[in-house]
Amino acid sequence: FVELGQGWAYLFYDMVDRFQILMYALAALGNTPGTWTAAECFAPGGSASGYAVPSQTLLPTLLRWQLLFEDPFTQTLWLARATPRTWLANGKRVALTGAPTSYGRLTFSLQSTSVSTVHGNVTLGVNFQWPPGGLVLRLRSPHFPTRKITAVSIGGAKCNTFNGTAETVTIATAPQSLVALQHIIATLA
């Protein structure tokens, strides 16, 4: 499907806004409201021919990439790479549970506790293998560019591998204790 390739390319080249326009346009115009069924064709008079299984995988695949994206070239695992900014509005929570990746299963959540603080929790499965390119967590603030990431701590330790302009926190190597990943705090100012 052309849309999968186009969506993947938008994320690969970090064109998040275009990715979101594509995804939500497909959801609004290519799927039935409430059921997310993608009819393959329509006949005059409004009857449909049903659906084809590949069409049903389009939106779930785009949603997965929005939350969890694996870069095959850098072998980097991106968390929340393309989430809508409103998902991290004050008091909002984004979560993904038990998601399979090439490196093993993981669970993560992001909780915006104020306009200036986001708490992250990343829990890795038992057989998780650290990606060679590391983990990159993106925090797309609804207040960007007025508020950018200015400080990050992981497990209580200061983390300097963040980029306020790109809204990313890079964790290149696994911390000594993986429990530290369950206590990520980002400050935005």
Side-chain angles (χ1 to χ4, degrees):
F1 288 103
V2 172
E3 294 87 358
L4 280 178
Q6 187 176 6
W8 187 89
Y10 282 154
L11 284 182
F12 180 75
Y13 290 106
D14 215 19
M15 300 170 136
V16 174
D17 292 336
R18 290 181 184 198
F19 172 85
Q20 288 182 346
I21 290 168
L22 171 71
M23 181 177 168
Y24 290 110
L26 289 170
L29 302 173
N31 293 82
T32 59
T35 65
W36 302 110
T37 301
E40 282 293 302
C41 34
F42 294 93
S47 62
S49 66
Y51 67 91
V53 174
S55 293
Q56 307 319 305
T57 66
L58 180 59
L59 279 178
T61 301
L62 293 175
L63 178 62
R64 176 193 165 79
W65 291 343
Q66 191 176 48
L67 294 166
L68 188 63
F69 183 79
E70 297 183 42
D71 186 317
F73 300 106
T74 63
Q75 296 181 312
T76 302
L77 186 57
W78 284 79
L79 309 180
R81 182 167 189 167
T83 55
R85 293 189 182 284
T86 57
W87 288 13
L88 280 182
N90 188 19
K92 300 272 183 163
R93 182 174 183 266
V94 176
L96 185 62
T97 304
T101 72
S102 298
Y103 310 102
R105 290 189 178 272
L106 68 77
T107 295
F108 80 87
S109 67
L110 300 172
Q111 174 79 44
S112 177
T113 56
S114 71
V115 294
S116 61
T117 308
V118 176
H119 290 263
N121 178 330
V122 179
T123 304
L124 306 176
V126 180
N127 297 320
F128 190 88
Q129 300 288 320
W130 195 262
L135 293 179
V136 177
L137 174 63
R138 173 160 282 154
L139 302 172
R140 289 177 41 87
S141 166
H143 306 288
F144 184 83
T146 307
R147 290 186 175 272
K148 297 180 183 180
I149 302 170
T150 56
V152 175
S153 69
I154 299 176
K158 185 178 179 182
C159 171
N160 291 319
T161 55
F162 66 88
N163 181 324
T165 303
E167 301 179 284
T168 58
V169 178
T170 301
I171 309 167
T173 58
Q176 293 271 174
S177 170
L178 294 179
V179 175
L181 294 173
Q182 296 174 6
H183 305 284
I184 301 170
I185 300 174
T187 303
L188 295 84

